[in-house]
Amino acid sequence: MIRTEELLLNVGPQHPSTHGVFRIIVKLDGEQIIEAIPVIGYLHRGTEKLAEDLNYTQIIPYTDRMDYVSAMTNNYVLVHAVETIMQLEIPERAQYLRLIVMELQRIASHMVWWGTYLLDIGAMSPFLFAFKDREVIINLFNELCGARLTYNYMRVGGVKWDAPEGWIQKVREFVPYMRKQLKDYNTLVSGNEIFLRRIKGVGQYDAATAIQYGLSGANLRSTGVKWDLRKDQPYGIYDRFDFDVPVGVNGDCYDRYLCRLEEMHQSLRILEQAVEQFPAEGDIMGKVPRVLRAPEGEVYVRIESPRGEIGCHLISKGKDKPYRLKFRRPSFVNLQILPKLLVGQSMTNLITILGGIDIVLGEVDA
């Protein structure tokens, strides 16, 4: 029997597989991980505490930065909470614009995940293809709101800007283009023998474990649990659209990969229906007071972000600022299962498992 000494190794905080300021302390016996401790807090900005000194509109740019590859959905969960407690009605045109940008954002977010995940495990070309196609969505957002990453687009009662002339047609043309690209993504990667050997059966867990850890998004659905808030607890106008909720069987990195690819297809189905139903005219802002004062009380709303369930718990004392604000951030919750998945794995699989969970560090450290 070969005797080895235990080795304590820092992975990060600056490491390609961590995608930001995130550190894992791993204890190794040879190449095998026998303990893993995630260390977070390097990016903490105190968003929820800062919000107590900001009016509701001023908080919106802070939500952009919690998940900087899915800013539109973070914008929405905040304004949705305020609108719910104030019982505001949102104009149809604004509802459709919100839905269109959130589904475009879901695709763009998954493309960042797809490209960087494959880059982490040794494939260069997919990263370039993903970011090239994501640029089409970024350009659409730039036309709509003048920003490429942090959009500050949603407003309590509607959206800040209407769609410019020809913008909806560009979204309509994007749908068949992206369908063809997704087909190419599958041809290039999904059946590749090296790729399959790298991720199939790795980071596996069952549905009971996923529920016990509070996982959501593809991390939950990969185990066969068919749960998507857009379907099961519809918000906005999602109940008007026909789409499927993709699920896996084995709960491994490969099933999570397939779920996210199929989620992009389903987002395209939603976009296809939305541009056909898009109102020809109408307001983009509802009737809201000049100074927003939410009535005294509290509310919790939740929506389906690209990484899973993001929730907003708002407590109001009847003033123009929240008394307390708390976000349920999917990356923070999904991260909890990481130590369990890593124990017994090799260092090579650490990168495969971490990337498969799809964690955005801005959400973890909000």
Side-chain angles (χ1 to χ4, degrees), residues 61 86 117 209 257 313 360:
M86 293 183 70
Y117 186 40
T209 302
Y257 168 89
H313 185 190
V360 169

Side-chain angles (χ1 to χ4, degrees), residues 123-143:
M124 182 70 183
S125 298
F127 174 80
L128 301 175
F129 295 141
F131 273 66
K132 175 182 72 72
D133 293 332
R134 174 176 173 263
E135 196 68 16
V136 179
I137 297 175
I138 298 302
N139 288 336
L140 286 169
F141 285 163
N142 199 18
E143 286 183 38

Side-chain angles (χ1 to χ4, degrees), residues 43 64 72 125 142 170-171 218 227 242 308 327 332 365:
L43 200 61
D64 280 324
M72 289 293 190
S125 298
N142 199 18
K170 289 181 181 179
V171 176
W227 177 259
D242 181 32
F327 290 102
F332 181 79
D365 287 339

Side-chain angles (χ1 to χ4, degrees), residues 188-200:
L188 178 67
V189 175
S190 301
N192 182 281
E193 185 180 343
I194 299 171
F195 172 70
L196 292 176
R197 286 176 65 87
R198 189 71 191 271
I199 77 167
K200 249 193 163 179

Side-chain angles (χ1 to χ4, degrees), residues 72-91:
M72 289 293 190
T73 50
N74 285 35
N75 280 185
Y76 180 80
V77 75
L78 172 69
V79 299
H80 183 40
V82 180
E83 290 160 359
T84 301
I85 199 170
M86 293 183 70
Q87 298 183 334
L88 297 176
E89 288 190 19
I90 315 302

